[in-house]
Amino acid sequence: MNEMTTITTTLKDWETDQEVRWCPGCGDYAILKAVQRTLPKLGADPKNTVFISGIGCSSRFPYYVESYGFHTIHGRAPAIATGVKLANPDLDVWIVTGDGDGMSIGGNHTMHILRRNLNCQILLFNNEIYGLTKGQASPTSRLGTRSPTTPAGSYDRPAKACAFAIGAGARFVARGFDVSKKLPEVLEAAYRHKGAAFVEIFQNCIVYNKDVFDGFAAPKGAEDHQLWLEDGQPMLFANGTKGITLDHETLQLAIVDVVDGDWKAAGVIVHNVKNRSIAHMLVEIPFPQFPKALGVLYDDPRPSFEGEVADEKARLSEGKEPNLAALLGKGQSWTVDEDEGHPA
């Protein structure tokens, strides 16, 4: 986020005149509406906002948000966003990518923007498949996924987007899913974070990977398999009847029953968004043996990349006068003698 004067807008102010073209029932529709509903709450200004995307179904996003936008090349949205932010640090930069765009061809760019901590929001739509190119297995596809490139089932171990982000040095890591009513809260938290905010959004691909997330994201009946995290609050799920504890012998997370609401007696741990170790454990716990950890997993700000670049520039230029001629003549130089035709 940026320090800016908030303005009043509505959802309509963030809608464009472009026809939204995703497959009927695609989870991207729900994510688009969640973003458009969230931006007015943030006091964001369309004239000061830019959405940057790579290639993929998710990357049509800039066409549908009434702001500045840049539909770039495959996997390179973070590089373009870095240039935009350095050129104009006052812009509010959002990056929209997918599990293929951001975790495969663009994996190195995703890593570097996270470790550098550019002040931006990164929304990674994870449908565990290549949707735009007709359903090939992606870096996040599960073992056994059948696709045109893995007809007998994928034997690649899937990448975990949030584990990747934490390992790359991200200072804000969160999760949500497309149709969740709590997704706007996650987006708002990402916006309030000063630095690179990474949000993985599980998104249903209605055509090539339908209902793969129903175990925790189905419209009805999946609530007991969701662990919504809140800073300073106990890690409870299943209507408070179960919780997450830390086994001090194995140093692993475990599930405990909570009797009569007494979570302290059950040993349920309290979520601390600054605890990087617990955040990594929450990412790694297997589903469905454990509930899916959702919400803000990790949030521990540090100085942003563009801020440090500006500070260095100010420090190096302090007390100096800009003089292009002196700069060009500095160091080793040559004088050409026109009569002799060779350097003097």
Side-chain angles (χ1 to χ4, degrees):
M1 67 165 290
N2 295 296
E3 299 297 330
M4 63 179 73
T5 302
T6 60
I7 68 168
T8 301
T9 61
T10 66
L11 183 151
K12 291 293 183 183
D13 293 317
W14 294 93
E15 294 179 338
T16 71
D17 60 358
Q18 299 296 300
E19 178 188 359
V20 182
R21 297 178 63 185
W22 285 307
C23 299
C26 175
D28 288 354
Y29 287 98
I31 300 172
L32 174 62
K33 284 302 179 186
V35 171
Q36 290 172 329
R37 288 190 179 100
T38 301
L39 290 167
K41 296 179 182 179
L42 304 174
D45 184 350
K47 297 179 181 178
N48 204 58
T49 303
V50 57
F51 279 81
I52 300 173
S53 66
I55 296 295
C57 296
S58 64
S59 293
R60 298 188 61 82
F61 216 85
Y63 297 107
Y64 308 140
V65 181
E66 189 59 57
S67 67
Y68 291 103
F70 199 160
H71 189 181
T72 71
I73 55 179
H74 210 183
R76 272 65 175 184
I80 302 297
T82 300
V84 169
K85 192 68 175 179
L86 289 178
N88 187 352
D90 292 331
L91 282 177
D92 211 7
V93 176
W94 296 74
I95 297 173
V96 177
T97 184
D99 47 303
D101 183 64
M103 295 291 291
S104 184
I105 191 171
N108 57 330
H109 293 282
T110 303
M111 175 184 71
H112 292 307
I113 198 170
L114 291 172
R115 71 174 182 83
R116 287 172 176 151
N117 198 38
L118 189 80
N119 192 9
C120 64
Q121 294 75 238
I122 305 166
L123 310 183
L124 187 142
F125 297 10
N126 183 7
N127 55 19
E128 297 187 2
I129 208 76
Y130 280 106
L132 187 65
T133 52
K134 307 301 184 285
Q136 298 88 348
S138 83
T140 59
S141 294
R142 304 176 192 186
L143 287 170
T145 297
R146 292 180 180 272
S147 77
T149 51
T150 56
S154 174
Y155 45 79
D156 280 348
R157 298 286 171 179
K160 297 179 181 178
C162 286
F164 174 89
I166 293 173
R171 309 298 296 191
F172 180 100
V173 179
R175 271 179 176 164
F177 61 91
D178 47 14
V179 296
S180 171
K181 294 180 180 180
K182 294 186 179 182
L183 181 58
E185 297 176 17
V186 176
L187 298 174
E188 184 172 353
Y191 181 85
R192 299 299 180 195
H193 176 87
K194 189 172 179 60
F198 182 88
V199 182
E200 177 184 21
I201 305 175
F202 298 107
Q203 174 255 322
N204 187 28
C205 178
I206 197 75
V207 176
Y208 297 111
N209 215 13
K210 184 180 179 182
D211 300 335
V212 70
F213 303 118
D214 266 6
F216 63 88
K220 295 182 180 179
E223 295 83 2
D224 286 354
H225 304 287
Q226 301 168 5
L227 173 63
W228 282 99
L229 300 163
E230 186 177 347
D231 189 35
Q233 297 300 314
M235 295 186 191
L236 298 171
F237 65 101
N239 290 320
T241 62
K242 295 182 181 296
I244 302 296
T245 190
L246 178 64
D247 187 319
H248 292 279
E249 292 186 4
T250 63
L251 296 181
Q252 293 180 330
L253 298 180
I255 295 175
V256 292
D257 292 322
V258 177
V259 180
D260 296 329
D262 194 350
W263 58 267
K264 290 185 178 180
V268 175
I269 58 177
V270 173
H271 186 45
N272 177 0
V273 292
K274 295 185 183 297
N275 191 323
R276 185 171 182 270
S277 297
I278 294 295
H280 209 151
M281 290 182 185
L282 289 166
V283 170
E284 294 289 348
I285 54 176
F287 183 87
Q289 297 92 326
F290 283 79
K292 181 65 73 172
L294 301 164
V296 179
L297 289 85
Y298 183 57
D299 184 359
D300 190 12
R302 65 172 170 81
S304 65
F305 179 67
E306 76 283 356
E308 293 186 321
V309 169
D311 290 344
E312 180 184 68
K313 181 180 178 181
R315 185 176 69 254
L316 294 177
S317 61
E318 185 177 2
K320 298 177 182 178
E321 293 293 332
N323 189 326
L324 181 59
L327 178 63
L328 293 175
K330 184 178 180 182
Q332 191 175 29
S333 61
W334 292 263
T335 301
V336 178
D337 188 327
E338 294 182 0
D339 296 332
E340 298 294 332
H342 57 79

